[in-house]
Amino acid sequence: MATKLEAIETPSLSNEDSKPERLPITVTKPIPYTFDLGNLLCNDSNPLPDKPTDAQISSVARDCAQALINQLLTTCPITSHPTDGVVLTLPPPTTLLPREKPLPAEKQQTKWEKFAKKKGIKDKKKGEGKMVYEEETGEWVPKWGYKGRNRDGEGDWIVEVDEKKEKKVEAKGDGSTVRGEGRRERKEKVKRNERKQRSNERGERKAGVLK
């Protein structure tokens, strides 16, 4: 963290006698100060009087500010930048500051997460399990999507026909064939998964999980 140092201009006084007394830049206290330069923090453990006056409080605050400036100038590296001017680099903060906002509420588990936890199913890493080795061709092919393993047989010139399955298809009377049955089943499975997903989302909305 870098802090830009700028000169503070003070108004000139015409009467030399009215100039304020120059206070010492060296501050000595019975209990030494502790610092957190990353937060520009000076801790003063010295006790105050029972009923401190405004002048006493101002004096203590001035001593803390002077001690903090002394510590910054003696311990932090100072560099000169052509555009930013003199720059003082602060160390990392050491004091933990409180949160601005409360901790977020714990997210409720979805229907799938509850099922996976019950069955001991672990989430796969990104990209894991998307490819499968095909022994016939000796290549890795995707499980789903374009040229996916789930489309095996759809583009074959010759399709092995199961007589029972062929009779079921012909009994529908909608003009479907055994060749197109695999594609129809795959698309129906996708629609079935989409319906389940929408049903789960509606259940989560009722439970107040989704906004």
Side-chain angles (χ1 to χ4, degrees):
M1 180 178 180
T3 302
K4 184 178 179 181
L5 302 180
E6 296 182 355
I8 301 176
E9 296 182 359
T10 57
S12 59
L13 300 176
S14 58
N15 189 358
E16 295 181 358
D17 296 337
S18 62
K19 288 183 179 180
E21 181 184 357
R22 185 181 294 275
L23 299 176
I25 61 173
T26 303
V27 181
T28 304
K29 293 287 183 177
I31 302 176
Y33 295 120
T34 57
F35 301 95
D36 178 6
L37 300 182
N39 285 321
L40 296 177
L41 174 65
C42 174
N43 296 309
D44 185 4
S45 301
N46 295 279
L48 290 172
D50 293 338
K51 295 180 179 180
T53 63
D54 291 344
Q56 289 174 327
I57 295 175
S58 298
S59 177
V60 171
R62 179 266 165 194
D63 290 343
C64 287
Q66 183 65 63
L68 178 61
I69 293 173
N70 294 344
Q71 192 74 8
L72 289 170
L73 296 177
T74 54
T75 59
C76 297
I78 302 175
T79 57
S80 179
H81 196 272
T83 56
D84 296 335
V86 180
V87 177
L88 185 144
T89 303
L90 299 178
T94 57
T95 303
L96 296 179
L97 300 178
R99 290 177 58 93
E100 179 185 359
K101 298 179 181 179
L103 290 172
E106 184 178 355
K107 186 178 179 181
Q108 297 185 13
Q109 290 184 326
T110 62
K111 187 175 181 181
W112 162 251
E113 289 173 342
K114 293 178 181 178
F115 175 79
K117 184 178 181 181
K118 182 179 179 181
K119 297 295 183 179
I121 302 173
K122 296 182 179 180
D123 291 337
K124 293 182 179 180
K125 296 180 181 179
K126 186 177 180 180
E128 182 180 355
K130 290 186 177 181
M131 306 293 287
V132 62
Y133 184 74
E134 200 170 49
E135 296 183 357
E136 294 82 0
T137 60
E139 297 178 351
W140 288 89
V141 296
K143 288 183 178 180
W144 308 280
Y146 178 66
K147 293 185 177 180
R149 190 69 180 271
N150 62 326
R151 296 189 177 187
D152 281 355
E154 291 185 9
D156 294 345
W157 290 7
I158 300 176
V159 179
E160 185 177 356
V161 177
D162 186 348
E163 293 183 1
K164 294 182 179 180
K165 194 172 183 179
E166 186 179 16
K167 290 180 180 179
K168 290 182 180 180
V169 174
E170 292 176 353
K172 293 180 181 179
D174 55 359
S176 57
T177 62
V178 177
R179 179 182 292 277
E181 189 67 13
R183 184 172 184 271
R184 189 193 65 79
E185 290 179 356
R186 177 171 56 81
K187 288 188 171 294
E188 183 62 30
K189 185 177 180 180
V190 172
K191 293 180 180 179
R192 198 160 52 242
N193 289 337
E194 290 177 350
R195 287 195 297 268
K196 288 182 179 179
Q197 183 179 0
R198 289 193 294 268
S199 176
N200 292 338
E201 289 178 353
R202 285 194 296 269
E204 291 173 358
R205 288 194 186 94
K206 291 180 181 178
V209 177
L210 296 180
K211 296 182 180 180

